[in-house]
Amino acid sequence: MSNCNNGNIPKTKISVAIDGPSGAGKSTVARLAAKKLGFLYVDTGAMYRALTLEALKNGVDLYDEQRMTKLAQKSKITLDPDENNFLRVFVNGEDVTDKIRQPEVSRSVSYTARLPKVREYMVSQQRLMAKHGRIVMEGRDIGTVVLPNAEVKVFLTASQPTRARRRQRQLANENVYVNLEQLNQEIATRDYLDSSRITAPLVPAQDAKVIDSSSLSVEQVVELIVKKVKLYGKQSFR
Ligand code: DC
């Protein structure tokens, strides 16, 4: 008996965790891998961004953990995929997809993401989304904290200049123009803040496959991930 459908996509409850620093290509790769697998795609960074935007809008101090946690609890953040798995992000029904990519949010989001109680709440929401498996979730702490039992874990990275160039291209596609030097600086700062924070720092899970995408195409990385999922599906029913 086979546990796979015709496309060899496993039917078992599989979760894929993709972590890594900003600009490593996680979003593109996770979106396309999920599409190929027919899995749900969740961009957890978008959730932290949406909350940051809401805080800036309401004048909530990003250092005030209690108010930020309350704001997280009362803000309904939803991710709605289109037919190509691009996510539209809503906060309390308002479409904030473009706004959460603005430089002001990018500069501020690490402060939101440092707050342990905010993370606790976000993690609980993310676990609910992953309850039924068949999900590709990307972020910084998915393989280590959110889904430590994920069947497939990938830590996707790339050199810093590569990441800055990619980010510049991605932002230009969204009509946001930022010079490379500024991006390099912002990425270095964000890497530092994300890796040095006490709660859920950015580190590869011990059982994650580390992939350096500097000299790989998007398709190559997607293929590697899809292969790992199919392999897991085969092994789990032997
Ligand atoms: O992936 P991104 O650049 O959109 O993430 C935005 C910020 O949120 C970034 O500073 C890292 C943080 N983040 C996090 O701490 N944990 C996650 N699971 C996802 C993102």
Side-chain angles (χ1 to χ4, degrees):
M1 194 177 75
S2 166
N3 63 312
C4 292
N5 57 20
N6 287 343
N8 287 325
I9 307 294
K11 287 180 195 155
T12 41
K13 185 174 168 284
I14 291 181
S15 299
V16 181
I18 302 183
D19 292 302
S22 55
K26 291 185 307 288
S27 298
T28 309
V29 159
R31 177 177 66 79
L32 293 172
K35 173 114 181 110
K36 268 204 158 162
L37 293 162
F39 285 12
L40 182 68
Y41 162 51
V42 174
D43 170 3
T44 59
M47 297 169 69
Y48 288 98
R49 285 173 178 273
L51 176 61
T52 305
L53 177 71
E54 195 62 7
L56 293 172
K57 215 169 91 180
N58 291 288
V60 175
D61 179 0
L62 299 176
Y63 286 90
D64 186 336
E65 183 166 15
Q66 210 178 353
R67 282 193 70 198
M68 286 295 288
T69 309
K70 279 210 174 109
L71 188 68
Q73 288 163 347
K74 73 170 202 205
S75 306
K76 190 170 160 35
I77 298 171
T78 46
L79 308 174
D80 196 5
D82 71 10
E83 68 278 9
N84 290 315
N85 248 2
F86 282 105
L87 300 177
R88 293 220 74 81
V89 182
F90 294 84
V91 180
N92 301 324
E94 186 199 347
D95 188 337
V96 294
T97 311
D98 297 330
K99 287 189 191 147
I100 63 166
R101 304 289 161 194
Q102 293 294 330
E104 197 190 354
V105 175
S106 298
R107 275 193 297 274
S108 308
V109 63
S110 283
Y111 297 97
T112 304
R114 282 169 86 89
L115 302 172
K117 290 220 151 34
V118 167
R119 297 200 71 88
E120 210 176 283
Y121 179 73
M122 291 296 201
V123 168
S124 70
Q125 297 301 299
Q126 291 153 6
R127 286 187 182 148
L128 277 179
M129 294 176 188
K131 204 165 65 173
H132 303 295
R134 299 185 64 81
I135 192 166
V136 178
M137 189 174 274
E138 59 117 335
R140 304 293 192 286
D141 59 340
I142 312 304
T144 48
V145 176
V146 182
L147 306 174
N149 297 323
E151 286 74 10
V152 174
K153 293 185 189 178
V154 167
F155 190 86
L156 190 62
T157 187
S159 70
Q160 198 185 300
T162 307
R163 292 193 281 130
R165 271 197 308 277
R166 284 181 186 163
R167 196 57 145 191
Q168 191 183 40
R169 234 177 292 141
Q170 183 194 354
L171 288 170
N173 284 338
E174 294 158 8
N175 295 321
V176 179
Y177 300 95
V178 185
N179 84 43
L180 205 54
E181 197 37 52
Q182 185 185 337
L183 274 178
N184 251 315
Q185 198 53 50
E186 279 180 19
I187 286 181
T189 306
R190 198 123 54 93
D191 279 359
Y192 172 73
L193 290 172
D194 291 344
S195 316
S196 64
R197 69 175 173 231
I198 292 168
T199 311
L202 170 67
V203 284
Q206 273 185 348
D207 50 349
K209 164 131 183 91
V210 178
I211 299 177
D212 184 334
S213 71
S214 304
S215 54
L216 293 173
S217 69
V218 167
E219 292 73 23
Q220 284 172 316
V221 179
V222 170
E223 209 37 56
L224 277 173
I225 294 170
V226 170
K227 256 195 200 144
K228 272 182 93 55
V229 172
K230 289 179 180 173
L231 192 67
Y232 181 86
K234 276 187 194 145
Q235 283 168 350
S236 66
F237 271 77
R238 274 212 181 117

